[in-house]
């Protein structure tokens, strides 16, 4: 996937997080901010992110995929989507 597609993917993820998680609007949401450590996303929020990723990008997340390395930041989510696309 090229850089433009990667940027588009990251932008869609960023917008979803800003809209879905109220705490995200009060924080500077950059690519590498830990969504878990910052409290923006909790364990139930991960399920919302999984649903969004599956619906928006057609990427199926398996139980083994549900680790912080894949869902802890916008950058990690973007990499996950690109690797599975």
């Amino acid at each position: 996937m090229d850089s433009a597609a990667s940027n588009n993917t990251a932008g869609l993820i960023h917008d979803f997080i800003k809209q879905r998680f109220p705490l995200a609007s009060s924080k500077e949401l950059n690519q590498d901010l830990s969504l878990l450590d910052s409290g923006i996303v909790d364990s139930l929020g991960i399920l919302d992110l999984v649903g969004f990723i599956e619906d928006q990008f057609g990427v199926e997340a398996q139980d083994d995929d549900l680790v912080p390395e894949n869902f802890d930041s916008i950058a990690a989510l973007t990499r996950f989507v690109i690797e599975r696309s």
Side-chain angles (χ1 to χ4, degrees):
M1 191 174 271
D2 63 28
S3 180
S6 177
N7 288 340
N8 184 52
T9 299
L12 290 170
I13 294 168
H14 176 276
D15 292 348
F16 173 77
I17 292 169
K18 280 287 208 186
Q19 292 171 3
R20 177 65 182 89
F21 301 100
L23 192 55
S25 62
S26 66
K27 302 233 183 222
E28 185 174 331
L29 191 57
N30 65 47
Q31 295 285 319
D32 297 313
L33 177 69
S34 171
L35 300 171
L36 300 169
D37 291 344
S38 67
I40 292 172
V41 175
D42 60 13
S43 57
L44 292 176
I46 293 290
L47 298 178
D48 288 337
L49 284 170
V50 169
F52 170 74
I53 295 296
E54 291 179 341
D55 292 344
Q56 181 71 39
F57 302 105
V59 172
E60 187 174 330
Q62 304 297 321
D63 288 344
D64 292 346
D65 295 326
L66 303 180
V67 294
E69 292 80 23
N70 292 331
F71 289 87
D72 191 41
S73 67
I74 293 172
L77 284 159
T78 302
R79 275 191 304 275
F80 177 75
V81 168
I82 290 170
E83 288 171 1
R84 301 301 192 284
S85 296

